[in-house]
Amino acid sequence: MLGSRRSRDAVTCIACGESVPRAKAREYDKHGDRWDRRDKEFEYLCKPCHGELTHQPRSGLEDLLAAVEDEADDRDAFLHRYQEFVEQRQD
Ligand SMILES: [Zn+2]
């Protein structure tokens, strides 16, 4: 049946870990521009978590996370680099 396959797709909310149908999830683009879809993998938020998001500017946090992610290949490296970046920013 048309659309039945897509409606079974589930995604995981990056905030609470709930599994939600893709059609009911909100896309989250860490680069803050979800209209540019080229070469991107989106993350997802369930509606309650999306509603709790602050929409205030985050003074470069996402840019920082993206920069750290480019340099780190695993979780430990990511956390280590992130800590270094944050400490540098506090000087
Ligand atoms: Zn959630």
Side-chain angles (χ1 to χ4, degrees), residues 13 16 46 49:
C13 171
C16 69
C46 68
C49 290

Side-chain angles (χ1 to χ4, degrees), residues 29 32-38 40 42:
D29 176 18
D33 177 14
R34 62 196 180 99
W35 307 115
D36 178 7
R37 308 184 69 86
R38 237 177 324 152
K40 276 189 182 171
F42 287 94

Side-chain angles (χ1 to χ4, degrees), residues 4 17-18 33 35 40 42 48 50 56 61 65 83-84 86 91:
S4 62
E18 279 292 312
D33 177 14
W35 307 115
K40 276 189 182 171
F42 287 94
H50 184 267
Q56 300 300 316
L61 174 63
L65 291 176
Q83 191 171 9
E84 286 180 357
V86 170
D91 288 341

Side-chain angles (χ1 to χ4, degrees), residues 24-55:
K24 293 195 174 171
R26 293 278 190 262
E27 285 177 341
Y28 175 74
D29 176 18
K30 63 188 174 186
H31 299 287
D33 177 14
R34 62 196 180 99
W35 307 115
D36 178 7
R37 308 184 69 86
R38 237 177 324 152
D39 300 329
K40 276 189 182 171
E41 251 178 66
F42 287 94
E43 294 170 299
Y44 293 92
L45 289 164
C46 68
K47 279 186 186 174
C49 290
H50 184 267
E52 289 176 11
L53 277 186
T54 170
H55 296 283

